């Protein structure tokens, strides 16, 4: 089966539209239609039904989806395997949300170097949707995310349960109040949990908010491990009596990768450094 046809099929499934698939693949809608028509002719089954809102899978299309997914993942894995550096036995491609790289995934890279030196690593940083897309298309073997959505053909494993704690810049008056609160977007599960109706600043990136507080003052919720050096040095202090919130991180990977030794070693390493 042609890899471009499989990718095109999966892109239509993902976007729900021949037009959106053509835009994401940077090809014409005519090319998209031609690829699907050729694929349907080869399989002898209709895969999509065109609707006013886009395209819907037929029963045959739903059955074919898992095979197309496996084909694209195997192709991408083969392509990566052929580029393994000399002296290495395999490669693991991992991606993580930006705020997870310090310290967990940096610690993991160091752990892999010491415990699995035969495995080459390709590391990516990105936003959740981007990482899931790379996982879906086989570009990544593992994605580490805070709130992954469930996808057919993929496993989700808990890696760590981090705590979000409220801290403020040391030496400031204790009655700074809501005017000094910096709200970090820790996702929908945390939204509204801080208890401050109108924060002075809202930030979508934890390190940005943290360094702002260190320079300008204020308070906000951050991951306990990230705060450790700042609390130890006295730059930040805990806000006494403030509630804490659990913030779990998960590893997502294809079911087909369960038998790959390098992926299993990588998962074991993630859990070990998280502890």
């Amino acid at each position: 089966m042609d890899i471009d046809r499989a990718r095109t099929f999966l892109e239509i499934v993902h976007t729900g539209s021949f037009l959106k698939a053509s835009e994401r693949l940077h090809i014409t809608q005519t090319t998209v239609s031609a690829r699907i028509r050729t694929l349907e002719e080869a399989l002898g089954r209709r895969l999509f039904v065109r609707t006013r809102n886009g395209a819907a899978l037929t029963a045959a299309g739903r059955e074919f989806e898992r095979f197309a997914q496996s084909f694209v993942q195997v192709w991408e894995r083969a392509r990566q395997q052929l580029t393994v550096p000399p002296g290495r036995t395999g490669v693991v491609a991992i991606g993580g949300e930006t705020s997870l790289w310090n310290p967990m995934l940096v610690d993991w890279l160091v752990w892999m170097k010491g415990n699995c030196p035969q495995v080459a690593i390709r590391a990516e940083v990105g936003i959740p949707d981007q990482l899931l897309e790379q996982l879906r298309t086989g570009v990544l073997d593992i994605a580490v995310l805070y709130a992954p959505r469930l996808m057919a053909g993929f496993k989700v494993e808990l890696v760590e349960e981090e705590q979000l704690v409220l801290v403020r810049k040391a030496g400031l008056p204790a009655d700074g109040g809501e005017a000094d609160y910096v709200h970090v977007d820790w996702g929908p599960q945390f939204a509204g949990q801080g208890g401050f109706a109108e924060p002075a600043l809202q930030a979508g990136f934890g390190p940005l908010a943290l360094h702002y507080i260190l320079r300008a003052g204020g308070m906000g919720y951050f991951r306990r491990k990230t705060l450790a050096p700042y609390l130890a040095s006295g730059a930040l202090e805990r806000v006494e009596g403030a509630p804490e919130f659990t913030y779990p991180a998960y590893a997502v990977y294809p079911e087909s990768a369960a038998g790959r030794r390098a992926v299993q070693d990588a998962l074991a390493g993630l859990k070990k450094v998280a502890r």
Side-chain angles (χ1 to χ4, degrees):
M1 184 172 67
D2 186 287
I3 188 66
D4 289 333
R5 294 174 195 165
R7 290 189 188 280
T8 302
F9 169 84
L10 291 172
E11 204 58 57
I12 297 171
V13 174
H14 182 62
T15 62
S17 164
F18 278 57
L19 175 60
K20 291 179 181 177
S22 69
E23 292 172 348
R24 287 175 62 90
L25 293 170
H26 305 292
I27 57 177
T28 65
Q29 191 173 349
T30 301
T31 301
V32 169
S33 298
R35 288 179 180 177
I36 297 304
R37 183 171 58 253
T38 303
L39 187 57
E40 289 177 329
E41 290 173 354
L43 294 170
R45 292 289 187 274
R46 192 176 183 185
L47 301 175
F48 292 101
V49 175
R50 299 282 193 112
T51 68
R52 292 181 61 183
N53 297 323
L57 283 170
T58 63
R62 288 192 294 272
E63 184 67 19
F64 178 68
E65 182 182 358
R66 60 191 178 95
F67 293 106
Q69 187 77 66
S70 296
F71 177 69
V72 171
Q73 290 171 358
V74 168
W75 172 266
E76 190 64 36
R77 190 159 66 246
R79 188 184 66 81
Q80 293 177 7
Q81 194 68 28
L82 292 175
T83 61
V84 173
R88 306 295 175 117
T89 60
V91 59
V92 170
I94 188 170
E97 290 192 43
T98 309
S99 57
L100 273 168
W101 280 100
N102 182 25
M104 185 173 71
L105 292 183
V106 173
D107 291 343
W108 175 80
L109 288 172
V110 175
W111 187 91
M112 287 293 290
K113 181 177 180 180
N115 293 272
C116 302
Q118 75 281 4
V119 177
I121 296 178
R122 187 166 60 81
E124 302 282 349
V125 178
I127 59 176
D129 286 347
Q130 177 190 49
L131 296 173
L132 287 173
E133 177 69 11
Q134 291 177 317
L135 191 68
R136 185 179 65 83
T137 56
V139 175
L140 292 178
D141 296 308
I142 303 170
V144 187
L145 308 164
Y146 283 123
R149 66 174 186 268
L150 298 178
M151 301 189 299
F154 291 86
K155 290 188 174 183
V156 178
E157 289 190 18
L158 178 67
V159 174
E160 72 168 349
E161 287 191 304
E162 181 79 276
Q163 296 295 315
L164 296 177
V165 298
L166 186 63
V167 296
R168 65 184 175 210
K169 185 175 181 179
L172 295 180
D175 58 350
E178 297 187 9
D180 290 327
Y181 177 65
V182 177
H183 177 78
V184 180
D185 182 9
W186 293 111
Q189 293 178 320
F190 179 75
Q193 296 289 343
F196 299 94
E198 297 181 359
L201 171 66
Q202 298 187 49
F205 184 44
L208 171 65
L210 179 60
H211 285 279
Y212 169 81
I213 289 174
L214 287 168
R215 293 182 60 180
M219 60 182 176
Y221 274 94
F222 300 96
R223 292 163 47 234
R224 187 193 298 272
K225 288 183 181 178
T226 302
L227 295 172
Y230 302 103
L231 293 171
S233 68
L236 295 173
E237 60 187 13
R238 292 281 302 274
V239 177
E240 295 298 330
E244 297 183 3
F245 302 96
T246 301
Y247 199 59
Y250 301 88
V252 187
Y253 61 96
E255 291 178 352
S256 58
R260 291 176 57 197
R261 177 62 182 273
V263 172
Q264 292 305 308
D265 287 342
L267 290 169
L270 282 170
K271 295 174 183 178
K272 193 170 186 66
V273 300
R275 290 196 297 267

